[in-house]
Amino acid sequence: MLLTDHPPILETRSCSWPDESACAAFASRLAGATTLFPSTFIALAGPLGAGKTTFVRHLLRALGVQGRIKSPTYAVMEPYEVQGRTVSHFDFYRFSDPREWADAGFRDVFAMPGLKLAEWPDNAAPALPLPDWRLQIEPMDTGARQVTVHALTPHGVELLDP
Ligand SMILES: Nc1ncnc2c1ncn2[C@@H]1O[C@H](COP(=O)(O)OP(=O)(O)OP(=O)(O)O)[C@@H](O)[C@H]1O
Ligand SMILES: [Mg+2]
């Protein structure tokens, strides 16, 4: 068998977000779908300014998070408690030291139920578990975003058709 660095992709969907309201609508649908399950892990890929944090903000708002939603670029993780659930927003942009993974207690966060959302996931591989979705956001010249969802787990496939 040929070994590769990449997990098998179970299913792929593509769409376009012409503007931020399309991103908000998508985030809201996903937010609703995740409330039906104890744990979901979404990895968010794409270049600087693609709209990863924007997507997470819309998703958190849809879940009912009020107040300021900070980008966790410096803290690496921002935790939220909403409707009795833990939601953890990670940004691994500045993450480089694997020891930080254990020291910061991220292993425990991923071992607990809850919704986990991670920007720049490749910077924390191989410590990260397999995400249910890898959501790739690519800005187009027009300002629209080309979006690709790779479902990497059976749960991720379930989330494709909420
Ligand atoms: N679908 C969209 N259409 C047009 N503009 C968008 C869309 N989504 C986000 N934007 C805008 O693009 C910018 C994206 O910034 P954001 O901080 O979300 O990017 P990011 O991917 O998190 O970047 P970083 O890698 O630095 O964390 C915001 O100004 C937002 O308003
Ligand atoms: Mg961001």
Side-chain angles (χ1 to χ4, degrees):
M1 192 175 84
L2 191 67
L3 292 174
T4 69
D5 291 328
H6 300 289
I9 296 164
L10 302 186
E11 205 167 322
T12 298
R13 297 277 171 89
S14 299
C15 66
S16 161
W17 297 338
D19 53 29
E20 212 182 300
S21 67
C23 164
F26 188 107
S28 176
R29 274 199 308 279
L30 178 62
T34 63
T35 59
L36 305 173
F37 302 94
S39 291
T40 299
F41 174 26
I42 308 287
L44 294 151
L48 283 170
K52 302 177 293 294
T53 302
T54 303
F55 176 77
V56 172
R57 285 202 176 105
H58 285 298
L59 199 151
L60 292 171
R61 287 273 181 251
L63 288 172
V65 173
Q66 292 174 342
R68 191 157 167 254
I69 297 173
K70 287 187 282 183
S71 175
T73 308
Y74 293 96
V76 183
M77 184 185 86
E78 287 291 339
Y80 300 88
E81 287 293 328
V82 60
Q83 296 171 26
R85 284 204 317 158
T86 304
V87 183
S88 309
H89 177 197
F90 296 87
D91 185 341
F92 292 113
Y93 185 68
R94 291 170 194 282
F95 189 88
S96 54
D97 185 351
R99 278 174 305 181
E100 203 184 330
W101 181 264
D103 293 350
F106 296 156
R107 193 196 318 272
D108 303 329
V109 175
F110 276 94
M112 298 288 285
L115 174 60
K116 295 105 190 174
L117 306 152
E119 300 182 43
W120 296 100
D122 300 343
N123 290 1
L128 279 180
L130 183 65
D132 297 301
W133 275 15
R134 182 180 174 92
L135 195 156
Q136 180 90 30
I137 308 174
E138 291 293 336
M140 305 282 100
D141 291 344
T142 58
R145 302 298 194 268
Q146 181 62 37
V147 178
T148 309
V149 177
H150 292 308
L152 303 176
T153 68
H155 173 45
V157 174
E158 279 179 306
L159 290 173
L160 288 172
D161 296 303

